[in-house]
Amino acid sequence: MVNIRRLRFSEVGQQTALRIAKRKYGANRYKTALAEDIDVHRQTVSSCLDKRKLCNFDTLDKICQVLDLNWENVSEPESYVSDHPNTSSAVDSLEQLVATVRQCVSDRIEHDCGIIQMSSFTISIDYLVEPHLYKLSRLPSEQFKTRHLLTGVKDEIEFERMGILPQYEERIEGRAVLLETKRLLVYASPGCGKTSYLKWLAIQCNRGLLLSDCVPVFLEMRDFAPKATQMNLLTYIEQYFGNCQVPDVGQATRRLFVEGHIFLILDGLDEVSEGMRASVNQHIRDILQPYHQSRYAF
């Protein structure tokens, strides 16, 4: 028996589904409404329906059920990816795995990082000129960074008391800094552009202009913090990939981390409340230690 795992809408099927969805929910909110009805991320609906990308069979089938369609009548037979007794469901190579997962998360990264919130308006990330940073001439030990820098010091006085007052050395391009280190900690005063820079890194990676052999994952730590008592960070990332329709999500996530092909970007560590910070920091350490081959930016 053949079990279809992934497929896409046919061109005619897409037009039919879009017409029914817009008539049922309205042209401006059909993606949001569909996502709520079938319990997936809005970007998943956009990727599967609007862009006709390969998606999980369950996702396409649920969309069809909500729209009173038969998936066999609106899908593209040539796109079927199946589990068959004579066919291995494992990804043939690491390169294929990276390419597959990058494609799955692409829309999510563009959605989450493609816009920058300014004081009273938003702009596209494409208007951001490549940022420059200043390197520190004196860096703490790896053990010290892992234990203390993630706690979020508040000002230069506190840095000085800890013995790590930044001493700026040379100016370096935003992308060049990633060629020198696998773990990047960005330190700056509030409003200086830390989030904009981290989003810029995610977009550059997503578009293949930086670390093209890695899968970018951009997480807002204020969203993870309330869940830190129910799940660990690795499980949270698996859910992130699951919402992006990554196949064999648990196995894929761990393999990418182990092989060093994840670029994990954690934004807003300093926004995590004092009461949740210790738990969040422990989850980060639990990722950094066993999966040291991958890349990180905070």
Side-chain angles (χ1 to χ4, degrees):
M1 178 178 179
V2 175
N3 176 34
I4 298 173
R5 296 171 54 238
R6 306 190 78 202
L7 71 171
R8 67 164 61 92
F9 278 100
S10 65
E11 290 186 15
V12 174
Q14 177 201 38
Q15 294 172 8
T16 301
L18 281 173
R19 184 171 60 253
I20 296 174
K22 291 177 181 179
R23 186 170 63 243
K24 180 174 181 177
Y25 298 109
N28 293 327
R29 66 176 309 272
Y30 70 92
K31 283 180 282 192
T32 301
L34 265 176
E36 292 174 352
D37 279 354
I38 66 175
D39 194 25
V40 298
H41 195 277
R42 183 178 183 276
Q43 289 301 117
T44 300
V45 174
S46 176
S47 178
C48 182
L49 180 55
D50 286 26
K51 300 182 180 180
R52 292 186 57 240
K53 290 187 177 181
L54 280 175
C55 62
N56 286 353
F57 170 79
D58 287 344
T59 300
L60 190 143
D61 185 42
K62 287 178 181 178
I63 291 175
C64 290
Q65 290 179 30
V66 169
L67 301 180
D68 293 323
L69 294 170
N70 186 322
W71 68 267
E72 293 180 287
N73 296 334
V74 295
S75 60
E76 184 179 84
E78 293 81 3
S79 72
Y80 294 0
V81 178
S82 308
D83 286 332
H84 191 275
N86 297 322
T87 303
S88 172
S89 62
V91 180
D92 293 333
S93 73
L94 182 60
E95 288 185 1
Q96 289 178 334
L97 175 61
V98 172
T100 297
V101 181
R102 281 178 61 88
Q103 181 181 20
C104 289
V105 305
S106 177
D107 289 341
R108 177 73 180 270
I109 293 293
E110 290 291 335
H111 175 269
D112 292 348
C113 302
I115 297 295
I116 301 175
Q117 180 65 52
M118 306 300 285
S119 57
S120 59
F121 59 94
T122 59
I123 63 170
S124 169
I125 195 76
D126 295 313
Y127 286 100
L128 181 66
V129 177
E130 178 173 351
H132 285 68
L133 294 84
Y134 284 94
K135 295 172 60 178
L136 302 182
S137 60
R138 180 175 61 186
L139 293 174
S141 67
E142 285 296 320
Q143 181 181 6
F144 187 86
K145 281 194 291 185
T146 302
R147 189 171 67 250
H148 291 293
L149 287 186
L150 298 180
T151 61
V153 292
K154 298 181 179 64
D155 50 40
E156 290 192 353
I157 295 176
E158 190 171 351
F159 261 111
E160 187 171 18
R161 186 169 66 249
M162 296 168 68
I164 54 170
L165 181 65
Q167 295 181 3
Y168 302 117
E169 193 178 55
E170 62 178 296
R171 193 169 182 241
I172 185 170
E173 292 181 347
R175 71 182 67 234
V177 67
L178 289 182
L179 302 178
E180 300 183 0
T181 181
K182 287 188 174 181
R183 299 183 185 181
L184 172 65
L185 176 70
V186 182
Y187 164 69
S189 301
C192 286
K194 297 188 296 296
T195 294
S196 296
Y197 174 59
L198 293 178
K199 286 187 174 183
W200 181 85
L201 290 177
I203 290 292
Q204 295 298 302
C205 180
N206 192 47
R207 296 176 182 177
L209 304 175
L210 180 68
L211 303 180
S212 59
D213 63 337
C214 290
V215 176
V217 179
F218 182 89
L219 301 179
E220 297 276 5
M221 296 314 292
R222 63 172 176 265
D223 295 333
F224 169 68
K227 303 176 182 178
T229 56
Q230 290 92 35
M231 67 176 69
N232 59 37
L233 187 55
L234 184 63
T235 301
Y236 189 71
I237 293 169
E238 288 180 0
Q239 287 190 359
Y240 176 98
F241 281 155
N243 288 334
C244 295
Q245 303 298 300
V246 172
D248 302 322
V249 63
Q251 178 181 351
T253 304
R254 284 167 173 78
R255 185 179 182 191
L256 289 171
F257 265 114
V258 169
E259 299 285 354
H261 289 278
I262 290 286
F263 181 26
L264 181 59
I265 305 166
L266 304 179
D267 182 43
L269 282 171
D270 55 342
E271 299 175 13
V272 176
S273 67
E274 291 287 346
M276 296 179 176
R277 191 164 294 167
S279 177
V280 169
N281 290 344
Q282 184 59 54
H283 285 305
I284 294 173
R285 286 193 289 269
D286 290 343
I287 286 282
L288 291 175
Q289 292 169 1
Y291 303 123
H292 56 86
Q293 295 297 329
S294 284
R295 292 179 173 271
Y296 305 88
F298 311 95

